[in-house]
Amino acid sequence: MARSVAAHRKAVQELLSGLPGRGSTEELPLMAALGRVLAVDVLAPLSLPPFANSQMDGFAVRSADLTPHAGSDAGAELTVVDPVPAGAAPMRLAPGTAAPIMTGAMMPEGADAVVPIEQALPDVFPAPGVTATVRLPTTEPGTFVRDAGSDIAAGAVALRAGTALGPGQLGLLAALGMTAVEVRTPVHVLLVTTGDEVVEPGTSLPEGKIYDSNGTLLEAAMMQSGLRVTRTGISSDDPSALLALLRSHAASSDLIVSTGGVSKGAYEVVRQAMGGQAVDFVSVAMQPGGPQGIGTFDGVPFLGFPGNPVSCLVSFEMFLRPALAAVLGSPALRPSLQARLAESLTSPAGKHQVRRGTLLPGGTVRLEGGVGSHLVHALANSNALIQVPEGVTELDAGAEVEVWML
């Protein structure tokens, strides 16, 4: 009986829960940490902003100086003092004065508000050294002032352990004055492509052979997900050669992933090579990607994906990515949303079907190619995986479906 998608995903998660390197960390410069996962909570060593500063180009004032008095118009005329450029440490602001101030500049001691230059009369800054006055309207305390610590206070948690480090996160760490960060050591994956019928791109293509796309597909997916990949050459359909290849790398790997050779045919080299190993070969109720291998090879977690290119990538997205996210907190799950089919489709009874598609403006998703697991061109033109649950055999155009964005 075929195993459900949910059951196999759980089995993969349980397999990866014992990854040997999951607790190790390393410290890296910020840019080298792009795409990596934070290993520890980071506390802010200083407040952001570190000092109260102006949100606008305008005049720093004491708001009490602009409070209207009985019989007077709103606002007041103040004496203009030395300007406050960004990066300067200003003098204390005396009562009855206004200091021209630039965006981001430190608020002078005594000032508690900023009046934008557009609200001033005249609405220009006086030339340096020229004695001048300016008329400003009534202003509430705190107007156009960024308080110290209004973004984050010193000692607060800036980023939690498990956070994937992208541009925004690295920018925050730089703003806090940090140059390096402690990240989790990436999972080291040994990636093995099998099959006498495949040859490396860039070589001559003998009759009856095809170029290997699986290795590139999976290595790219894994590297994009923050994994460290060792990719071997293509293994032949000789079980002893595959065993020798695996044993030459297994001891230094956290996880082994193979493609091809997991079905029930006569030349299924991965099945043959795994005799005596704690590896099960199961049928998952999924199209494409039904045949799967799972277990351990010489104690190292092992996953055997099917050999067709779409099948192996779908296997990664449906099983390995979610399991790593659950166990390690990264990579992130694919964004999931609801869309409406641009055309009808059919799905085999008793299987969870994964179709390739393109999400269009307006929330409609168009199918790309057919159900064939060899359709690499259709995959390359897709930006989404359409999920058709087990038990659903037909969907009309306009039907709502779950899509995972690629």
Side-chain angles (χ1 to χ4, degrees):
M1 181 177 177
R3 174 184 284 181
S4 71
V5 167
H8 193 65
R9 186 177 295 145
K10 181 180 179 182
V12 174
Q13 181 178 329
E14 291 173 351
L15 175 72
L16 300 189
S17 64
L19 283 174
R22 59 181 298 202
S24 59
T25 67
E26 57 185 333
E27 188 172 274
L28 293 177
L30 293 189
M31 287 310 301
L34 179 64
R36 301 288 289 274
V37 177
L38 194 61
V40 295
D41 289 351
V42 173
L43 304 183
L46 50 84
S47 294
L48 290 181
F51 49 82
N53 67 87
S54 176
Q55 188 178 336
M56 305 284 286
D57 288 350
F59 289 92
V61 298
R62 294 170 175 265
S63 59
D65 288 343
L66 300 176
T67 302
H69 302 287
S72 68
D73 296 331
E77 190 168 289
L78 305 177
T79 300
V80 179
V81 295
D82 292 341
V84 185
M91 300 290 290
R92 180 181 179 85
L93 188 70
T97 65
I101 191 167
M102 305 303 111
T103 302
M106 177 184 285
M107 291 290 291
E109 185 181 351
D112 64 356
V114 172
V115 178
I117 184 66
E118 296 83 0
Q119 296 179 16
L121 289 175
D123 59 355
V124 293
F125 293 128
V130 175
T131 302
T133 61
V134 63
R135 184 160 195 84
L136 301 173
T138 300
T139 301
E140 293 295 321
T143 301
F144 295 121
V145 175
R146 300 166 176 154
D147 291 329
S150 56
D151 189 4
I152 185 171
V157 176
L159 294 172
R160 293 285 184 188
T163 300
L165 297 174
Q169 292 74 32
L170 295 177
L172 170 61
L173 297 178
L176 292 170
M178 301 177 65
T179 59
V181 65
E182 188 175 353
V183 296
R184 294 175 182 168
T185 302
V187 173
H188 182 194
V189 182
L190 174 63
L191 176 58
V192 182
T193 302
T194 67
D196 284 339
E197 75 279 13
V198 290
V199 297
E200 294 284 3
T203 63
S204 61
L205 190 64
E207 190 173 356
K209 307 285 188 180
I210 59 172
Y211 285 122
D212 172 41
S213 60
N214 291 6
T216 298
L217 269 171
L218 282 178
E219 183 178 12
M222 291 173 177
M223 289 180 64
Q224 193 179 59
S225 301
L227 307 180
R228 184 159 63 93
V229 183
T230 294
R231 181 173 161 189
T232 69
I234 300 168
S235 175
S236 70
D237 283 335
D238 178 0
S240 61
L242 177 56
L243 278 172
L245 180 65
L246 292 175
R247 289 203 163 110
S248 68
H249 294 280
S252 60
S253 304
D254 300 319
L255 171 66
I256 300 170
V257 175
S258 69
T259 70
V262 296
S263 297
K264 296 181 179 180
Y267 301 101
E268 303 301 324
V269 63
V270 175
R271 273 182 175 265
Q272 295 170 355
M274 291 297 158
Q277 297 287 335
V279 175
D280 294 323
F281 292 91
V282 299
S283 177
V284 178
M286 183 174 76
Q287 182 194 60
Q292 298 283 332
I294 182 171
T296 58
F297 175 83
D298 289 354
V300 180
F302 169 84
L303 293 173
F305 291 162
N308 280 310
V310 178
S311 296
C312 72
L313 187 66
V314 167
S315 297
F316 174 84
E317 296 294 345
M318 296 296 290
F319 303 126
L320 184 49
R321 177 188 287 274
L324 288 169
V327 172
L328 302 178
S330 68
L333 296 174
R334 290 295 189 186
S336 173
L337 49 84
Q338 298 297 118
R340 296 194 177 276
L341 286 172
E343 57 206 278
S344 62
L345 61 75
T346 60
S347 181
K351 290 190 177 183
H352 181 118
Q353 188 182 67
V354 183
R355 294 289 295 270
R356 278 66 64 207
T358 297
L359 185 67
L360 303 171
T364 299
V365 62
R366 178 184 69 219
L367 297 175
E368 296 288 352
V371 299
S373 56
H374 65 293
L375 301 174
V376 185
H377 181 247
L379 176 64
N381 283 288
S382 302
N383 65 10
L385 295 178
I386 302 168
Q387 306 291 330
V388 184
E390 183 178 345
V392 176
T393 58
E394 294 184 17
L395 288 172
D396 295 330
E400 192 172 76
V401 290
E402 180 184 4
V403 298
W404 293 5
M405 299 307 300
L406 294 175

